[in-house]
Amino acid sequence: MPGTLEASIAEAGIVMSCTIALLTPYGGTNLGDQAIQFSFVDNLRRLPADVDLIGLTLNPERTAQIHGIACYPITALDVDFYSESLFLPSASPGPASSPEHPAAAAGEESKPLLTALRTRLRRVRSLVACVHAARRLPRKLKGCLRELGFLVFAWRLVGRLRLLIVAGGGQIDDEWGGPWGHPYALARWTVLARLRGVPVAFASVGACRLEGRLSRGLMGTALRLAQFRSYRDEGSKVILRRWAFTRGDPCFPDAAFALFEGGGMPPGGAGRDVIGISPIAFGRPESWPTRSEGVYAGYIAALADFVIALCERGLRIAIFTTSGADSAAVRDLLRQIETQRVGLPAGIDVQSTQTVASLQALLPRLRAVVASRLHGVMLSHIGLVPVLAISFDRKVDEHMADMELGEYCTGIRDIRAADLTRMFERLLSREQAVRALIRERVRERADRVREQFALLGALAGCGSARPAVVGE
C-alpha cells in the first residue's frame, strides 16, 4: 500500500514551491466537513503563490473526486466508528430469536437445554466482550502491520510539504473511535511534520470530548507541537483550558463562513411555504457511538408530531440531511409519522443533499429550517435561512448564541412538540428581521475567516505577511 501511494504521489508531481496538506477526518458524506474543505481549497488557491493542495482524509478516492485535489489516507488502522470500512452494512447474522432457516428453528426447539444455556451465556457481558475481542484480534494485528508501512509513507509525504493544516471541524474529539481514532492520527502526522521541519497549523478547529487519558495525551502532544492554533468558538477553548499553552490562542469562525461570498450560497427566501427538516441520528444504536435510545426515541416522536402539525397548516416539508449518518434518522422519522397518521401526509418530500451544491440548490426554496446537527444549522444560516435549532451539543447552543439567535434554540433531551410549535411561530413572525440579522452576522464571520487564510498563507511562505506564531 505505501509503495503504491508513494508512486501515485510521484506521478501527481506534488513536489511544488508551496505544497499544503489539509488534514480532516472526513469521508465525503458530511456536508459540514465538505463545506469547510471547499472553503480551504478555494481560499488557499487565491494566495499570491503557486499553491498545490493535497488532502489527508478517511476516504481519499471520494474526497479527491469531490474537491479536485490529490487525497491520501489519514490512517491505516481499522478503528470502530472512525475508519470508513466500519460504516458499511453489518454482515453479522440477525437476532437468535429469528433464525433465517426453518430447519435452524426446529433444531433449536429439539435442544431446549442447549438453547437455554446459550441464552444464559449471551447474558454474561464479559464473556460476550471477550468473544467479540477475539474475533477482532486478527483485524487489529493486520492493522498494526499496515501502520508500520504507513509510517514510512507518511514520513516521505510530509517531507514534501510546506505546511500541514488541521483543517477545521470538530477534530479535538475521541467519541468517534477513541484514542486510536483521531487523537492518534493527529499526533502521528504532527510529530512527523515537526521532525521534518514542517510547520503545523490547527485552523478553526472545534473541541468536543476528550475523556480518556491516552486521548488527552495524544491530543495534547499534537496541539503543543503546532505553530499556529485557532478554534471556532470560545467553548472549545474552555474544554482545552487544562493546557496553559492554549490560553492565548485566537478564535476564528468556522471556515464554512467563507463560502458566503465568491462562489458562496445564494440568498434564501424565495420559497414561502416550504419548511426544511433536517433530523440527526444522535444517540441512535448502531448510528452513534454513545447510545441514548430514550433521548433519540423522544426526539423522533416529538419531531414527527411537529411535522404533522405543519402539514395540517398546509405547509410543505422538505426533509434533508447534512450527513450520511443521518439517513437512518430520516427513515425513523417517516416511519413514526406513518404510524401516527396511518400513512404519510401530502406535501412531504425527501430531498437528496449529498453535496454542498445540492444543498445550495435547496436552501433558496425554504422559508425556514428545523435542524439539529451543527452544520445543518450553520449552512442554513450561511444560506440566509432562519433556523429553529434542536441542539444535541453545546456547540450548537454556542453557535446560536453567537449569532444572537439563542431564543430559537432548544435542547434535544427535553424536546416537546408544543414548545417547538410556539418557538417556530415566533421565528416566522420575525422572519425578515431574523434574515437581516443573519446576513450581517455571516458577513462579519466571512471577513474574519479570510483574515485567517492570509495568516496561513504567510506561515507556508505563500503570502505577503508573517503571521503571529503561537508560542513565540
Side-chain angles (χ1 to χ4, degrees):
M1 179 181 180
T4 302
L5 291 170
E6 191 170 0
S8 299
I9 292 169
E11 291 174 8
I14 68 166
V15 184
M16 303 282 289
S17 59
C18 190
T19 301
I20 299 175
L22 304 175
L23 186 154
T24 174
Y26 157 60
T29 64
N30 184 294
L31 297 194
D33 290 329
Q34 191 177 121
I36 289 169
Q37 299 314 305
F38 272 127
S39 180
F40 270 93
V41 170
D42 181 59
N43 283 276
L44 291 175
R45 280 177 172 166
R46 296 170 185 263
L47 293 173
D50 186 12
V51 177
D52 186 53
L53 298 171
I54 65 173
L56 301 172
T57 77
L58 286 173
N59 191 319
E61 182 177 354
R62 185 188 301 159
T63 50
Q65 182 179 17
I66 292 172
H67 298 283
I69 61 175
C71 292
Y72 307 96
I74 198 174
T75 187
L77 298 180
D78 197 356
V79 181
D80 291 359
F81 281 102
Y82 184 71
S83 304
E84 282 279 304
S85 61
L86 297 178
F87 288 91
L88 297 175
S90 172
S92 60
S97 60
S98 302
E100 296 182 1
H101 197 281
E108 290 298 319
E109 290 174 3
S110 66
K111 302 176 182 178
L113 291 178
L114 180 59
T115 301
L117 179 60
R118 287 177 177 174
T119 301
R120 290 181 180 276
L121 288 176
R122 290 191 186 103
R123 293 174 181 170
V124 182
R125 294 185 178 181
S126 59
L127 180 59
V128 172
C130 289
V131 171
H132 287 321
R135 288 177 176 176
R136 290 195 298 264
L137 184 59
R139 189 186 76 193
K140 300 296 183 184
L141 290 175
K142 185 177 180 180
C144 290
L145 293 175
R146 276 203 314 268
E147 177 67 8
L148 293 176
F150 188 79
L151 287 172
V152 175
F153 155 73
W155 171 262
R156 294 174 178 174
L157 178 90
V158 165
R160 293 164 164 80
L161 302 179
R162 290 286 292 274
L163 176 64
L164 172 64
I165 301 177
V166 180
Q171 303 215 30
I172 305 175
D173 178 58
D174 68 354
E175 182 174 14
W176 294 84
W180 297 109
H182 208 52
Y184 172 68
L186 285 176
R188 177 219 291 121
W189 285 101
T190 302
V191 169
L192 292 177
R194 294 311 308 271
L195 288 174
R196 298 300 301 259
V198 175
V200 177
F202 283 71
S204 297
V205 295
C208 299
R209 191 187 80 167
L210 284 176
E211 293 192 351
R213 180 178 299 179
L214 179 57
S215 295
R216 292 193 293 270
L218 292 168
M219 197 66 72
T221 296
L223 289 168
R224 190 183 300 273
L225 290 176
Q227 290 172 288
F228 178 86
R229 296 181 297 268
S230 71
Y231 314 101
R232 69 184 176 198
D233 52 47
E234 290 291 341
S236 293
K237 292 195 64 176
V238 171
I239 292 173
L240 302 178
R241 64 183 180 274
R242 64 168 58 88
W243 293 308
F245 63 84
T246 68
R247 295 172 188 169
D249 296 345
C251 283
F252 282 91
D254 192 289
F257 279 105
L259 292 174
F260 181 63
E261 294 176 346
M265 291 186 174
R272 306 307 304 166
D273 64 347
V274 182
I275 307 301
I277 304 291
S278 184
I280 188 172
F282 173 76
R284 185 183 189 275
E286 300 180 3
S287 298
W288 205 272
T290 304
R291 297 175 57 163
S292 187
E293 298 171 65
V295 170
Y296 179 72
Y299 163 70
I300 291 296
L303 192 56
D305 286 338
F306 177 68
V307 170
I308 291 170
L310 293 181
C311 291
E312 290 174 347
R313 289 178 48 185
L315 294 170
R316 291 183 293 158
I317 305 299
I319 300 179
F320 69 97
T321 65
T322 54
S323 173
D326 295 334
S327 298
V330 171
R331 293 193 298 269
D332 292 342
L333 176 60
L334 293 174
R335 190 178 300 115
Q336 183 74 23
I337 294 171
E338 286 182 313
T339 300
Q340 295 178 207
R341 281 289 304 265
V342 192
L344 283 177
I348 294 181
D349 185 23
V350 178
Q351 300 287 316
S352 176
T353 49
Q354 298 182 13
T355 64
V356 170
S358 61
L359 183 62
Q360 286 178 307
L362 172 65
L363 287 175
R365 297 170 43 205
L366 304 181
R367 183 177 181 184
V369 163
V370 180
S372 296
R373 194 174 285 272
L374 174 62
H375 283 93
V377 176
M378 186 182 294
L379 293 177
S380 297
H381 279 157
I382 293 171
L384 309 182
V385 180
V387 179
L388 170 57
I390 304 173
S391 173
F392 76 101
D393 190 84
R394 66 94 201 155
K395 60 190 177 185
V396 179
D397 299 333
E398 192 160 350
H399 168 77
M400 292 295 288
D402 187 57
M403 294 289 288
E404 299 181 16
L405 295 168
E407 63 182 299
Y408 307 114
C409 182
T410 187
I412 197 171
R413 291 170 177 80
D414 53 2
I415 182 176
R416 294 193 308 168
D419 295 337
L420 287 179
T421 299
R422 283 193 292 271
M423 194 176 297
F424 193 69
E425 292 287 353
R426 188 164 67 248
L427 177 64
L428 292 186
S429 70
R430 298 189 60 235
E431 179 182 350
Q432 296 308 316
V434 169
R435 286 185 184 275
L437 176 60
I438 292 172
R439 181 185 294 274
E440 177 184 353
R441 303 297 281 170
V442 169
R443 193 178 298 277
E444 292 170 356
R445 279 147 187 75
D447 290 340
R448 283 283 289 154
V449 172
R450 281 188 282 273
E451 291 175 16
Q452 179 169 240
F453 281 121
L455 296 177
L456 294 173
L459 183 60
C462 304
S464 57
R466 185 176 183 273
V469 177
V470 295
E472 289 191 342

